[in-house]
Amino acid sequence: FIPKVFNGSGDAALLVSYQPWVIAAGFCALFGGALALLQARHMRRDLMVLTLALSGFAMTHMLIAGFEPYARARAGIALVPAIGAELKPDTPILVLDHDEPSLAWYLRRQLSMRTEAAFRRQWRDDAAAGTLVLAVMKGATFVRLRHDGVPMRVVARDARRVVVANR
């Protein structure tokens, strides 16, 4: 099911690696619930509440801990050093056809969203003026633009996105 939903985005492998964590958390919740039910049958209410609380805590911890690699990949943290090396205070960063709120936060910069047509115009004009511009786009968009002859230099890439410069 997961590869069909996330085909080509690079997320499928990370979500598949998250699956054991979800299964373990489910078993933790199931075991904790069964043990709490047993304690309730013996009228041990305090112990039942404690069991539910501990199993809930353990389950939540497993879900959060297992999600960390996926969350880091979605946020684009690995791209930040390469992008930071290219940035100057006045360098605009364009985002093409998708949103990157986490990347904006890690870079402490505002990212400007563009449609492909607006991107092509600004990219061409800024390159002609000698202004450095960075752009973040999906891999498929990068391949299409490169095929169309748009001049780009790859700054960084991961499974989800490609960061390019116009010079």
Side-chain angles (χ1 to χ4, degrees):
F1 171 76
I2 289 173
K4 289 179 183 175
V5 174
F6 293 98
N7 57 355
S9 69
D11 291 340
L14 289 168
L15 288 174
V16 168
S17 69
Y18 182 48
Q19 190 173 11
W21 290 90
V22 174
I23 292 170
F27 278 120
C28 181
L30 183 66
F31 179 74
L35 191 58
L37 187 62
L38 182 66
Q39 292 165 349
R41 290 184 68 193
H42 293 289
M43 300 305 229
R44 299 181 191 148
R45 273 190 257 160
D46 293 344
L47 199 52
M48 176 194 72
V49 170
L50 182 62
T51 300
L52 285 174
L54 288 176
S55 66
F57 174 78
M59 177 192 71
T60 303
H61 182 71
M62 286 180 203
L63 290 172
I64 292 172
F67 195 72
E68 182 65 20
Y70 179 70
R72 291 181 68 78
R74 295 271 311 181
I77 296 170
L79 302 173
V80 171
I83 296 170
E86 296 280 334
L87 284 180
K88 300 198 176 11
D90 61 339
T91 304
I93 304 173
L94 308 179
V95 179
L96 187 56
D97 293 332
H98 71 286
D99 195 13
E100 289 286 346
S102 298
L103 198 53
W105 188 85
Y106 287 115
L107 291 170
R108 309 249 190 274
R109 299 297 276 291
Q110 181 178 351
L111 306 182
S112 301
M113 291 184 67
R114 297 289 188 268
T115 63
E116 189 169 325
F119 166 79
R120 286 175 185 257
R121 273 192 308 277
Q122 182 173 354
W123 196 255
R124 182 186 59 242
D125 294 346
D126 286 341
T131 305
L132 175 66
V133 178
L134 298 180
V136 182
M137 61 190 71
K138 294 179 180 178
T141 304
F142 170 74
V143 169
R144 186 176 63 251
L145 291 172
R146 173 72 49 100
H147 181 266
D148 290 349
V150 176
M152 298 177 285
R153 178 178 53 87
V154 175
V155 173
R157 71 174 1 149
D158 63 12
R160 296 179 49 81
R161 58 189 81 76
V162 180
V163 181
V164 296
N166 66 344
R167 59 179 172 107

